Amino acid sequence: MVTPNTPSSYELPSNFLWGFATASFQIEGSTDAGGRGKSIWDDFSKIPGKTLDGRDGDVATDSYNRWQEDLDLLVSYGVKSYRFSLAWSRIIPLGGRDDPISEEGIKFYSDFIDALLAKGITPFVTLYHWDLPQTLHDRYLGWLNKTEIVQDYVRYARVCFERFGDRVKHWLTMNEPWCISILGYGRGVFAPGRSSDRLRSPEGDSSTEPWIAGHSVILSHAYAVRAYREEFKQKQGGEIGVTLNGDWAMPYDDSPANIEAAQHALDVAIGWFADPIYLGSYPAYMKEMLGDRLPSFTEEEWSVVKGSSDFYGMNTYTTNLCKAGGEDEFQGNVEYTFTRPDGTQLGTQAHCAWLQDYPEGFRDLLNYLYKRYRKPIYVTENGFAVKDEDKKPVEEALHDDDRVQYYRGVTDSLIKAVNEDGVDVRAYFAWSLLDNFEWADGYVTRFGVTYVDYKTQKRYAKDSGNFIAKDHVQQEEKDAPPTPVKNAKEV
Ligand code: PNW
């Protein structure tokens, strides 16, 4: 990868994996096909007011039917790897440890994995990207029931290792435990939508449930990793870990209170999960903030949790300026802002309120994580939603300058972190291959490097897709002229 702002001697390791990421519920559609069971997002997205545009995931980008097109797209961009997730309820429609496996669901993913490999693309597979089988929520409230969910999740994971592990060598257990717990059981904006806010949810307790859900997620991850290591790793030779969301936290100014606030923000967003998994203890601040609302692990559980990730899976989008104060436990009782003390903005505003472009923060976060957790880092998600892209005609939307600028900044930061700071980064996945179902934002917010016309389901490469492809193609084919995807190419 050579970017304009870095000396040409800078390099990434030759086995560096790069590509794009997606998730099952955001792209597949066909929610009734092949015996798939319902997931918690199926009904949730249909409740009036839960998505910005009132639309659901029944069609999404129709990738269940168009996976061959998606594959062609990946090939045209020249990626080395593709990160996608498996829908639990396609594989085990009812989800539980005694429930039947759907051979049709297995075949769908198995064929896709074969097709990727035939094109020389390495599958990077997420087991859980938020689409919990609805039945498990109905039976015992899903992530709120630790003893049940751990067993069901581990059985699901085992089925995946058994059926796909001969070909899949990179596994992610969970996508973004913080989002699962806080957005699903605290703020109630994601399925299953539980919250103390009675305007939002008929049931839920935001003071306890998110911390319980997070606890179950950590344990489910850890016991699945143990199963992989004990029963599959030797034969299959793959690696497994978790991927955590987390944005860089920068003190609003250099007052001690705000410096401390920034650390508290990191402790809750990242340390809540990463400290137990990589270091074997909770951040002190988590205990201070939550007291006995923070569920504790037994000795035996700690021994399974500690060291349960082969690498650091990093999803990151932005940087927050942090001020002490506020009463939002979900961000560590810290206030976030993008407005600097002098009134200027940190960076370019994205379509969603929580995202501004600040590439220096990406480099700082890489350094922080590498120093603290000492693991090779895989950047498993990173991306930008251009303001009002949904309102633009396709020809205009393809020239996504703000997204190109974003990727120029982060790839430059990444290369500097590797070459100047010595951070061991081994993969980079841009979010996302395609515009897709952006959860509570419906189809309004677009993160794709490929434009999707939702009326026709046609795909068109945006400038950002070509930028990333060209960038990497140059690295790999130094002698040959780069062959970027053509602009506005119809796939
Ligand atoms: C991630 N936040 O979610 C998810 O892994 C993707 O599925 C999603 O499409 C992507 O980022 C873009 O949103 C997030 O509120 C959702 O800070 C919300 C937040 C962060 C990440």
Side-chain angles (χ1 to χ4, degrees):
M1 184 153 63
V2 178
T3 63
N5 305 327
T6 46
S8 55
S9 60
Y10 281 9
E11 279 186 13
L12 292 173
S14 60
N15 57 352
F16 190 87
L17 289 179
W18 76 273
F20 302 106
T22 61
S24 46
F25 193 77
Q26 295 181 270
I27 65 165
E28 287 178 358
S30 299
T31 48
D32 291 328
R36 176 186 178 278
K38 271 192 180 176
S39 84
I40 53 171
W41 270 94
D42 289 43
D43 286 347
F44 181 78
S45 62
K46 291 186 174 61
I47 301 172
K50 296 301 182 192
T51 60
L52 276 183
D53 52 6
R55 294 171 62 200
D56 57 38
D58 283 0
V59 178
T61 63
D62 196 27
S63 290
Y64 184 77
N65 298 309
R66 292 170 194 263
W67 63 265
Q68 187 65 54
E69 280 177 54
D70 292 353
L71 179 62
D72 292 346
L73 199 51
L74 289 163
V75 170
S76 74
Y77 286 131
V79 303
K80 283 200 171 173
S81 184
Y82 178 49
R83 174 181 174 229
F84 61 100
S85 80
L86 308 177
W88 186 340
S89 66
R90 279 196 199 283
I91 292 172
I92 307 171
L94 300 177
R97 54 197 177 277
D98 299 319
D99 294 318
I101 294 171
S102 160
E103 290 302 330
E104 242 185 299
I106 299 268
K107 185 173 177 341
F108 171 68
Y109 292 116
S110 192
D111 289 351
F112 183 60
I113 290 164
D114 285 343
L116 282 171
L117 290 168
K119 296 289 185 190
I121 299 171
T122 302
F124 216 104
V125 178
T126 313
L127 290 172
Y128 185 74
H129 200 126
W130 307 354
D131 40 2
L132 184 79
Q134 178 68 43
T135 309
L136 303 187
H137 183 79
D138 296 342
R139 282 181 186 158
Y140 55 76
L141 293 181
W143 297 111
L144 294 180
N145 189 325
K146 154 179 148 177
T147 35
E148 293 292 331
I149 196 78
V150 171
Q151 297 180 69
D152 286 347
Y153 178 82
V154 172
R155 190 278 187 131
Y156 160 61
R158 262 201 192 96
V159 169
C160 296
F161 303 147
E162 266 160 22
R163 300 306 194 88
F164 310 123
D166 54 337
R167 290 155 292 157
V168 173
K169 306 299 168 191
H170 305 273
W171 294 102
L172 293 167
T173 53
M174 302 282 176
N175 180 71
E176 305 188 342
W178 183 94
C179 287
I180 297 169
S181 315
I182 299 296
L183 303 181
Y185 300 84
R187 299 211 200 284
V189 293
F190 281 7
R194 294 175 67 87
S195 164
S196 293
D197 179 353
R198 290 286 164 265
L199 292 173
R200 217 179 257 295
S201 172
E203 50 202 357
D205 177 353
S206 303
S207 71
T208 54
E209 290 188 2
W211 316 112
I212 295 167
H215 192 68
S216 304
V217 170
I218 296 174
L219 284 169
S220 300
H221 147 82
Y223 279 96
V225 169
R226 190 177 74 168
Y228 184 74
R229 287 177 178 166
E230 287 180 356
E231 301 159 36
F232 300 92
K233 192 180 166 96
Q234 207 188 357
K235 197 156 132 234
Q236 299 182 345
E239 55 177 359
I240 186 163
V242 68
T243 197
L244 306 177
N245 59 296
D247 296 321
W248 182 235
M250 210 157 73
Y252 177 71
D253 56 25
D254 53 16
S255 76
N258 292 336
I259 291 171
E260 194 182 39
Q263 184 58 50
H264 290 168
L266 293 169
D267 287 343
V268 177
I270 295 174
W272 172 15
F273 302 99
D275 279 22
I277 289 171
Y278 298 101
L279 308 178
S281 60
Y282 272 116
Y285 184 67
M286 283 294 290
K287 289 187 259 184
E288 186 190 319
M289 183 177 86
L290 296 174
D292 59 11
R293 286 182 294 136
L294 182 67
S296 53
F297 295 112
T298 64
E299 290 268 311
E300 127 95 26
E301 287 169 345
W302 271 121
S303 74
V304 180
V305 168
K306 186 182 180 185
S308 61
S309 194
D310 293 333
F311 49 80
Y312 190 98
M314 161 176 159
N315 286 2
T316 196
Y317 286 86
T318 195
T319 292
N320 293 300
L321 290 168
C322 295
K323 272 189 213 178
E327 285 176 5
D328 188 347
E329 286 186 336
F330 305 151
Q331 43 194 61
N333 291 326
V334 171
E335 281 178 36
Y336 289 174
T337 177
F338 289 131
T339 307
R340 293 196 183 89
D342 66 5
T344 59
Q345 292 296 291
L346 193 64
T348 305
Q349 179 64 47
H351 193 77
C352 28
W354 55 268
L355 208 182
Q356 284 197 356
D357 179 10
Y358 187 71
E360 294 83 354
F362 182 86
R363 180 173 176 180
D364 290 338
L365 180 64
L366 282 172
N367 274 280
Y368 171 82
L369 295 174
Y370 191 56
K371 278 197 195 89
R372 189 172 174 100
Y373 301 116
R374 308 296 326 165
K375 282 281 173 193
I377 296 175
Y378 294 141
V379 180
T380 43
E381 267 182 42
N382 179 245
F384 190 81
V386 174
K387 224 175 172 164
D388 297 328
E389 206 172 41
D390 59 310
K391 298 192 192 75
K392 295 179 183 169
V394 54
E395 314 78 57
E396 219 178 288
L398 298 184
H399 302 302
D400 55 340
D401 297 351
D402 286 354
R403 189 178 285 107
V404 172
Q405 189 55 38
Y406 180 92
Y407 282 125
R408 196 189 298 279
V410 287
T411 50
D412 191 46
S413 279
L414 173 93
I415 283 170
K416 284 181 176 151
V418 171
N419 287 277
E420 291 179 21
D421 311 334
V423 180
D424 182 3
V425 189
R426 301 197 185 167
Y428 179 86
F429 295 91
W431 183 272
S432 174
L433 174 66
L434 302 161
D435 292 334
N436 57 44
F437 177 73
E438 179 49 30
W439 309 112
D441 282 16
Y443 298 89
V444 172
T445 301
R446 292 171 176 260
F447 271 94
V449 300
T450 308
Y451 185 90
V452 176
D453 177 338
Y454 290 114
K455 289 198 194 77
T456 61
Q457 291 292 351
K458 285 212 170 106
R459 280 89 155 124
Y460 306 85
K462 298 181 194 175
D463 288 351
S464 58
N466 291 330
F467 170 80
I468 298 180
K470 184 160 161 258
D471 206 24
H472 288 272
V473 169
Q474 278 175 354
Q475 175 216 356
E476 283 150 31
E477 301 169 16
K478 282 200 186 90
D479 305 327
T483 50
V485 187
K486 282 208 192 71
N487 222 356
K489 182 178 173 233
E490 258 187 45
V491 179

